[in-house]
Amino acid sequence: MARKKATAPLELPEVHFSDHNGVRCLHLGTDWVQGSMLLDTPFDIELEYVQRMMAWLLFVEAPLVARRRAMQLGLGAGTLTKFCHRKLRMSTTAIELNPQVLHACRGWFKLPADDARLEVVIADAATEIVKDKWQGTVDALQVDLYDHEAAAPVMDDEAFYADCRRLLTEDGVMTVNLFGRASSYERSLARIAAAFGEDAVWAFKPTREGNTVVLAQRSASRPGRELLAQRAQTIQTRWDLPAPKWLRVFKPVKKP
């Protein structure tokens, strides 16, 4: 969760969870699911769109992944943070506005304590990401910023996406979840393309639930389908993500 810059104090929603059929879900004051965890395998990724937020792996050689740095804007149930830290062995930073969400992740969703490779920063993402110390340091940026109503992305303008681009290393990649009854995929996509360049933007088809994951590269590249297929198979073999299936519904926004 994160918010736009504001002068008035923000009343943060209460955090709770529910368990059903072996899955634990995080809620922020409503029935909307803000994240989930498989109780038997808490470091796996359960939701399809969250799996697709890992599509940046298609743009890096597998042996180099552990040397990279990941950042999540919005902690949710800690799924991406846990996966990058535990499964990929990456240096990982998450930025979250609501301290109750961090408390819930540590108490109910198996998020490890901070260590040499893991840091959770309680801050407003809009102001935190413009700090000098983050510029040009992030290889994999994952943006999933929604309030308790999940109506639309909390931050979704061209200036915000330009700030995200400045976080990235030269071959860094951003993935962002676009969802919500008040959101506009085409409008959001245009803003991302304006910040990153049309040649740098890729997109999935929507999931059945309506989540559309968009990927943007700091420096545009167009790896061939054969190379993507090889990397997808490696991703599935090493980390048990359904990457070969991604290639059926994932393509550049602008045709070569």
Side-chain angles (χ1 to χ4, degrees):
M1 179 182 177
R3 62 179 173 88
K4 295 179 181 178
K5 299 175 184 178
T7 55
L10 182 70
E11 184 177 347
L12 298 173
E14 291 294 324
V15 179
H16 65 283
F17 73 91
S18 62
D19 291 347
H20 183 68
N21 290 339
V23 178
R24 176 165 293 171
C25 294
L26 178 75
H27 309 275
L28 301 180
T30 72
D31 290 335
W32 282 103
V33 174
Q34 299 282 347
S36 66
M37 178 184 73
L38 294 164
L39 292 172
D40 289 341
T41 53
F43 293 95
D44 290 346
I45 301 178
E46 186 252 338
L47 293 173
E48 183 178 34
Y49 94 85
V50 183
Q51 293 175 347
R52 293 179 178 185
M53 294 286 281
M54 300 301 303
W56 61 268
L57 286 167
L58 292 167
F59 295 83
V60 60
E61 296 291 345
L64 301 178
V65 169
R67 306 179 195 174
R68 304 270 168 141
R69 176 179 295 276
M71 176 180 282
Q72 293 83 40
L73 305 186
L75 184 59
T79 306
L80 291 170
T81 305
K82 290 188 301 183
F83 194 89
C84 289
H85 174 257
R86 177 67 67 89
K87 294 290 187 82
L88 303 184
R89 310 297 298 172
M90 298 175 71
S91 294
T92 307
T93 301
I95 300 175
E96 169 58 45
L97 177 65
N98 190 342
Q100 292 185 56
V101 171
L102 175 58
H103 180 75
C105 285
R106 292 257 156 85
W108 305 331
F109 291 89
K110 306 292 186 182
L111 180 69
D114 284 7
D115 59 26
R117 290 189 295 104
L118 176 63
E119 179 185 21
V120 180
V121 179
I122 299 299
D124 185 333
T127 56
E128 183 67 23
I129 66 174
V130 299
K131 293 181 178 179
D132 289 344
K133 67 177 182 177
W134 302 119
Q135 305 308 296
T137 67
V138 179
D139 298 292
L141 177 66
Q142 297 161 312
V143 182
D144 197 4
L145 295 172
Y146 288 83
D147 63 14
H148 60 288
E149 295 180 346
V154 174
M155 288 182 283
D156 185 44
D157 56 34
E158 184 180 337
F160 167 69
Y161 291 123
D163 288 340
C164 288
R165 186 174 186 270
R166 283 188 283 270
L167 290 175
L168 297 176
T169 58
E170 280 302 311
D171 57 353
V173 177
M174 175 188 77
T175 50
V176 57
N177 173 40
L178 300 178
F179 173 79
R181 62 187 181 277
S183 66
S184 167
Y185 168 73
E186 294 298 336
R187 182 174 63 237
S188 297
L189 187 66
R191 291 167 176 169
I192 294 169
F196 281 81
E198 286 188 349
D199 289 342
V201 182
W202 303 60
F204 283 91
K205 292 181 179 179
T207 65
R208 285 173 296 178
E209 296 77 20
N211 299 82
T212 303
V213 172
V214 173
L215 180 149
Q217 299 173 274
R218 172 67 177 81
S219 302
S221 68
R222 291 295 176 87
R225 301 300 290 185
E226 182 177 347
L227 177 57
L228 288 175
Q230 292 172 356
R231 289 179 176 172
Q233 188 58 55
T234 299
I235 292 165
Q236 180 170 270
T237 300
R238 292 186 67 152
W239 299 300
D240 198 27
L241 292 169
K245 293 182 179 179
W246 296 345
L247 301 184
R248 304 174 195 169
V249 291
F250 178 66
K251 63 181 181 180
V253 170
K254 182 179 179 181
K255 295 181 179 179

